[in-house]
Amino acid sequence: MLRVIETFTSLQGESTYAGAPCFFIRLAGCNLRCSYCDTVYAQETGQPLSIDQLLEITELEKLRWNGHSLNGDILPIVEVTGGEPMIQEETPLLLKRLCEAGYTVLLETNGSIALDKVDPRVHKIVDVKVPSSGESGKNLSACLEKLSPHDEIKFVLGSLEDYHWVKKFLEARLALSQKNTVLLSWYDMSNSVPKGEHPISRTELAEFIIRDALPVRMQVQLHKILWPDIERGR
Ligand code: SF4
């Protein structure tokens, strides 16, 4: 059994699949407590569902998309997220079963748990925690070293200090951005600025990337723009 917070269809928001129709399976629980967490409710207990039940729910949603595909990916693509999905023992099996069923599968993970058991067909999106998250000490370098070329690395940042930290991080690991897409995802920290930090705007982040010739892809958190007042199910 897996503990599940919610399943829903939306548009993928933060990866190279951004904008694609996506069925989300949000699993319960997280081992971190990031300062900017926008899914605190995922730390609740959730509802127990078997892998077979989750496959059935996913299949029902797939029927609604009538066999359509996008760039060769059957729609909807499927993302397993959290919380932190890898804290549940059965998650690797769920991912494998989804791959076997022919879905394009994304795993959003916080980079603090080993990913050796994840099916190689899964597109892993590994979040590297920046200092303003309060959890950067939990980053596991082994998660990044073993990534496949189709996996992606994401930094969620909102301050000048975070930006400089990310820049140094990437300069010290040049091979990372040569092998994997690196995403910089801006969030607005202007209403909750950690002590000693200086918020940057979306535009400033874009200009810094261009000025510093940083080999990254900038992202905005699409779901927050489209549904600013809806916390769950988007
Ligand atoms: S890892 Fe993700 S879900 Fe967990 S606390 Fe951080 S932002 Fe929230």
Side-chain angles (χ1 to χ4, degrees), residues 30 32-34 36-37 39 43 82-83 110 129:
C30 187
L32 303 186
R33 295 291 181 269
C34 304
Y36 52 66
C37 183
T39 50
Q43 290 162 12
N110 66 24
K129 295 299 172 189

Side-chain angles (χ1 to χ4, degrees), residues 4-153:
V4 181
I5 293 292
E6 58 184 351
T7 60
F8 58 95
T9 300
S10 184
L11 301 183
Q12 214 288 332
E14 288 180 89
S15 74
T16 54
Y17 285 90
C22 183
F23 183 68
F24 287 85
I25 299 174
R26 188 184 302 287
L27 300 180
C30 187
N31 58 325
L32 303 186
R33 295 291 181 269
C34 304
S35 60
Y36 52 66
C37 183
D38 57 2
T39 50
V40 174
Y41 64 91
Q43 290 162 12
E44 294 166 9
T45 312
Q47 176 195 2
L49 287 175
S50 69
I51 291 177
D52 283 339
Q53 285 173 308
L54 284 167
L55 263 290
E56 259 172 50
I57 299 167
T58 311
E59 195 64 22
L60 278 178
E61 180 57 16
K62 184 177 127 189
L63 288 176
R64 222 172 55 75
W65 290 83
N66 215 15
H68 292 311
S69 59
L70 185 67
N71 294 335
D73 297 309
I74 294 175
L75 289 179
I77 60 170
V78 178
E79 176 167 319
V80 177
T81 186
E84 172 45 56
M86 289 304 290
I87 64 171
Q88 297 201 42
E89 205 180 327
E90 290 190 24
T91 300
L93 185 55
L94 170 66
L95 294 165
K96 183 168 179 260
R97 293 275 310 275
L98 287 165
C99 289
E100 282 168 354
Y103 296 104
T104 296
V105 182
L106 276 51
L107 168 71
E108 176 99 25
T109 179
N110 66 24
S112 69
I113 296 180
L115 302 171
D116 303 301
K117 292 183 183 164
V118 175
D119 190 291
R121 290 167 287 187
V122 171
H123 298 254
K124 299 184 283 290
I125 303 162
V126 181
D127 203 348
V128 179
K129 295 299 172 189
V130 299
S132 73
S133 71
E135 294 285 18
S136 58
K138 308 275 177 52
N139 290 326
L140 199 63
S141 52
C143 281
L144 301 181
E145 284 154 13
K146 295 181 187 168
L147 293 181
S148 304
H150 67 207
D151 295 330
E152 304 182 8
I153 300 164

